[in-house]
Amino acid sequence: MAADSDGEEDFVSYGTALEPLEEDEPLKKPIPLHEQTVTDEKGRYKRFHGAFTGGFSAGYFNTVGSKEGWTPSTFKSSRQQKAEKQHARPARPEDFMDEEDFGEHGIAPTEIHRSDEFASGCRNETAEMARAVNAQASLIPGDTLLEGFIRAASSSIGVELLRRMGWKEGQGVGPRVKRKARKQTSDSSRAYGCVLPPGGSEESEDDEEFAPENVTFAPKDVTPVDFTPRLGVQGLGYRGLDPGMALLGQAVPEHVDLFRPQSESRSKLFGESSRGKRRGGVAGQAFGIGALEDDDDEEVYHKDSMSRYDTVLAEEDPGDSLFGWTAPQQYGKTKGRSRDASYLGKILEGFTLAQKPVEQKTIFPPPILPSNYRPMHRRPGVEVSRMSGISSALAEALRTSRGHMVTEDPQKGGRHQLDAGQRGALLGESTQQAGPGSVMDLLRPEDRQRLLNLRNSSNPPAAQITTPDTQSALRAAVAMASGMAAAASSGLRQQQEALAAWKGKTSTQTFRPFENIPSKQARYEQYVSRLKQGDQDALEQSLDSGMTEWERSREREEFVRASILYRPSSSSLSSRFTSAKQQEDDNQVEVSRDEEGDVDDKEAAAKMKMFGKLTRESFEWHPDKLLCKRFNVPHPYPESVMVGLPKVKRDKFSVFNFLTVSDSQQLIAPKKPPETVKKSRWDMSERKQSDPLSELLSTARNQAECKQEPNESPDAPPAVPETVSSSHNTATKKTKKKSANQESSDEEEEEEEEEEEEEEEEEEEEEEEIRPPMDLFKAIFSGSSDQDSSSSEEEGDKAEEEKKGKTDANHLNLFSIGTTSASTPTASASTASASTPTLTPASSSTLTATSQSHALQEEEFGPKLPPPSTAPYRGGITTQEETPSRKSKEKKHKKKKKHHKHKKDKKKKKEKKKHKQQKKSKTEVSDSSDEDEEKKDGEEGKISSDELLQRLKSIRSLQS
Amino acid sequence: MMAFPQPKPEAPQLPQHLHRTIDCKQGAVRAVRFNADGNYLLTCGSDKSLKLWSVKGEALLKSYSGHGYEVLDADSSYDNSQICSCSSDKTVILWDVGTGQVTRKLRGHAGKVNCVQFNEEATVILSGSIDGTVRCWDTRSRRFEPIQVLDEARDGVSSLKVVQHELLTGSVDGRVRRYDLRMGQLHVDYIGSPITCVCFSQDGQCTLSSSLDSTVRLLDKSTGEMLGEYTGHKMKGYKLDCCLSSKDTHVLSCSEDGHVYCWDLVEGSLSLKLAVGKAVVQSLSFHPTETCLLTAMEGKVQVWGPNPEETQEDV
């Protein structure tokens, strides 16, 4: 056995490989006989003496003995050289063997053995036998050899249990039997050479001659049967070379019959003495009979006969010692129970055998689920949608009127929208006054009292407040009462409004808000048609009387809302819109999942310079995958598919999206000091539901504003110009843009009619607030319209102010931020609509083509850019010098100017025109010309449409 | 109480001496910006041109024209090979510095574009517009659509800054938004007044924001708490810049009264009031490493340094 030295191949090769032949190698001369030498492994020459002189040279000078001759070895031991152990113990056969005998081909080849650690206690003969049987059956003899090398270090639990029960390796399992003690063959005795396996070591069970009554023996072990599948293509029962026969010289006339274990080949393997005659040679079905075979009477070719097969399924012989897999049944039948008992009793001490067999438990099958079963629990009663938009007033009304409202839903508005105080209240905890973040802590007790009083005065019905608990209860009651009243009155008003809007309209209705519920849509259409006829009770008649009160009230609300929202627009209005190119998602709007919290709170906190938790809000935000890649950062949400802030879809026409409006309208009505930032309705409703802390904050804010007011000049517009954006969450951007334009132009029309002094602005604002929502857009955009109302007339003056006035007073600049930005577009829009009445906002860009710079001016929002130069404007109007004393004059002048504005405007324009022509003639580009351009841009916005048309005409005529 | 960015250095020098004045001859200078290493400066003119100057030699190196209206902001890439600029003509332009050619003209904003910034590797251009969106443009691909549009702002975006993986935007709706790409978070700080300019501190721990209530606020980046408030200047109507000094020792802001105000960051006291001129100081930029300040007033750019130097008027 030699492994390949170069290790290219892993397999083990036997023998010595032939030298590889090389083709062009000259033929070697055969080595002459005298040069053929034999050496042993140590390189010593060996001489062959012939068969009768001892074979190879042996012994000392070819004598069999040694130099010493046959003198026996004597015992020697010294301190330096200890006597070898083998002298101390009896001689073994190995002691007298030559080295060669231990070699591969020697008579006692040394084998690889398992170390004792892995060897089981005693040799497992049955396993070996089983292996031998398998080896016999396999095509390659000895291929199961390697399996023997591997043995588990620890025995399995089954073996362990058996051992505890008294079983020993090598024994069979089962009740003990009476029989003769078998002779134990000792392991130590080994046979060398071609010695026949020891025969007759166990006598058959049959010859039981002596069996003492009280001595029992363990049963014989069972040979496990190996069920290896046949892999070859040979037929069933085919046997190639029979190694057993080759070794033992005995043919196997029968195929292995597993069912008749005492068949000859079997018994031979199991160590039973062979009774048949011995034959040499190799035999098998693949080989015929050799020429040297002297057995002529044997059939040369294998013949199968039916007699070799079992034709009857019969019981096994009762006397069979090799009970295997079928054995216990046999024992159970023939031997009594006592045997079992003794067997069992020994194993588990402390237990007695049961007299009666254990009763079988009856197992009932689980009930069969009905096909329509759904594993969900449904609460009985009215299902109130848990959308965040539900107003407290509605909830209260429901609870009082029907008693069907499910308990106050703690999930209302989302868990995260409640703050600690609200959650505490829900849990029934007393309100915590000593929070570190509470504003109350920062206030002195007298201030606190003042704030409370202030708030109470704003809520007249709220009587004396004693404890926080009663306080909140009272507040809820008040809110409920006012909310219901508000809902009722606003509902009525809205119905009236809807009626007014639809009455007499014959336009074919195209919008179908409830399309997915046909019956509802039908009812709605009925309602609309009644509206058109001017029916006062349109709503009540068209509702389904079969519905519950709750459903009806809900539908009533929805219908009114829908009819107001989608009422036929006036012709002037509708002409300005182009219809959407593609239908947006019908019934749902995308709403940002995490709504921004109360702006009022934040504003109050910012006023108090309490930046931090109160002003900070954090949202989950999903960046684009590519953006993360470009920034070299891992994507924070690897499995995310969306981008931006998480959005949720909400039902567009759900009543809850609109219910809060009525509440807030009611809240806007009471006059308040003008605030720096207009609250949106949504904010208002939120504040109503908010906790004491936020209420306090808002009152504090109000107070702060009241204080601030005197400081500001009376004509100062709100400091923060942009409120459009803060007022609506639900409106989509598209409509926002459209309607902003639209609305501003509406405003403009009003504006032109009334020439107001600046002082009148406040009045106007109030009026604006009290005014009932005439228009959907106005209802939404009322915040911004306040800004616009601060008179577009003044923009000319403002423009002048800008140019002069970097050193001017604050409010003037404020002005320019807040109002110019907002009002400039109105001017342009008005000119657009006046000159080309059919122009839609979308196409207003065509106008900008004529005056591009003008269009750019139109976009001015927010903080502006400073003017390019402080040099006095060279235009005709304002050639005033910058002197501080001038400012006051200017103001007055401005007011006066207003009355004559239109005239002046025209003058200006004419001057402009001249100016422009002059400028055109100039070729050099200088600072001043740039300024001119800017100026001109600013002024051009005010040029009337007639002027524009005239100019266009004149240009054309010039060209022609 | 709070970890301030840096301990106060021994003798912080301030750019109090006027070194030179450059007449840019491009109308009003809307913005003046140092490049990444501070050797060059960019001026954005109202005459639609963008000019590149050398700070030392005060020489005009290149003029970039291609915008359709006044240029409002510009930024140069870290390797000085590219410039991005934005304009009132609603476009963002990516320039090749050497040739002066337009590499890419990015359209998509609905209104004038107020501010523009490269990210650190100049792979993305971020632009904030009056239309309330921030658009992230890919400079690597040929796509002309932005990678992402950040439309969280409810009003015009007036200023934005990018540092590493964070994007800071200031909006007219009075909110400072910080987008953290790594964490996937958006932090919104409510200031109340329209924001005109936002900055990160050099150590990245704080944010600076100036607003139209004539206040500059230093906020802690992580919590949003206010660390300092700087007042005295006038910022009521115009979009003016503010910045931190290169060592985070001082806060500087433009003012409408023709001065640059410089406060001590820790104490909040006014340490320098630099008289630039009579008009509004439109823009300013602090040198990334040295004590050097650029201011822009009307059509001129002033260079300020810590030590007196002979001034040269009007190149």
Side-chain angles (χ1 to χ4, degrees), chain A residues 604-786:
Chain A
K607 276 231 168 62
M608 298 166 111
K609 299 187 177 176
M610 289 173 63
F611 291 97
K613 274 178 201 161
L614 291 173
T615 56
R616 161 68 60 102
E617 270 185 303
S618 295
F619 305 98
E620 188 181 314
W621 175 71
H622 295 242
D624 193 277
K625 290 215 164 60
L626 184 59
L627 194 64
C628 282
K629 204 174 151 192
R630 291 279 183 264
F631 270 81
N632 280 331
V633 293
H635 196 275
Y637 309 100
E639 64 282 345
S640 145
V641 287
M642 44 90 65
V643 161
L645 294 175
K647 300 247 165 123
V648 285
K649 287 217 163 188
R650 290 227 175 122
D651 199 0
K652 206 178 192 173
F653 305 112
S654 165
V655 68
F656 298 110
N657 282 352
F658 307 110
L659 274 182
T660 44
V661 178
S662 59
D663 283 355
S664 54
Q665 274 174 349
Q666 213 57 27
L667 279 166
I668 290 171
K671 194 199 157 194
K672 272 195 211 162
E675 290 165 17
T676 47
V677 173
K678 290 277 173 291
K679 256 68 63 186
S680 72
R681 293 176 169 71
W682 311 97
D683 297 336
M684 292 303 235
S685 64
E686 265 173 43
R687 196 178 56 182
K688 196 162 159 40
Q689 299 169 351
S690 62
D691 61 333
L693 173 69
S694 60
E695 272 179 42
L696 262 173
L697 280 172
S698 57
T699 43
R701 187 200 54 241
N702 283 349
Q703 216 178 11
E705 275 158 13
C706 290
K707 275 185 201 162
Q708 262 191 352
E709 213 184 7
N711 301 342
E712 288 171 337
S713 55
D715 54 344
V720 181
E722 288 308 311
T723 55
V724 185
S725 45
S726 62
S727 56
H728 16 270
N729 306 338
T730 49
T732 59
K733 264 200 167 167
K734 240 184 207 171
T735 51
K736 198 155 106 187
K737 271 179 201 161
K738 275 185 191 170
S739 49
N741 251 332
Q742 176 57 50
E743 182 241 357
S744 59
S745 63
D746 282 0
E747 282 299 318
E748 172 65 20
E749 282 162 44
E750 285 172 31
E751 231 64 44
E752 278 178 339
E753 286 163 17
E754 41 181 8
E755 292 207 319
E756 282 187 345
E757 299 280 342
E758 279 186 351
E759 282 86 356
E760 289 169 28
E761 273 178 25
E762 268 193 35
E763 278 179 40
E764 227 245 49
E765 269 185 31
E766 287 161 25
E767 188 193 318
E768 187 79 26
E769 285 180 348
I770 304 161
R771 193 191 300 159
M774 294 297 291
D775 186 312
L776 161 70
F777 303 116
K778 248 177 235 170
I780 295 175
F781 291 99
S782 69
S784 61
S785 63
D786 293 344

Side-chain angles (χ1 to χ4, degrees), chain A residues 43 82 116-117 241 243 267 270 441 468 546 681 848 852-853 906:
Chain A
K82 291 278 182 192
D116 292 340
E117 198 179 327
L241 189 71
S267 55
F270 296 142
D441 290 350
R681 293 176 169 71
T848 63
Q852 189 203 6
S853 53
K906 293 205 171 166

Side-chain angles (χ1 to χ4, degrees), chain A residues 30 297 315 465 805 853 909:
Chain A
D297 53 340
E315 272 188 11
I465 284 155
S853 53
K909 279 156 208 159

Side-chain angles (χ1 to χ4, degrees), chain A residues 609 618 722 725 817 866, chain B residues 30 138 154-155 187 229 236:
Chain A
K609 299 187 177 176
S618 295
E722 288 308 311
S725 45
I817 329 152
Chain B
R30 290 307 183 199
D138 195 354
R154 295 168 171 194
D155 210 326
H187 303 283
E229 194 179 32
K236 291 287 187 183

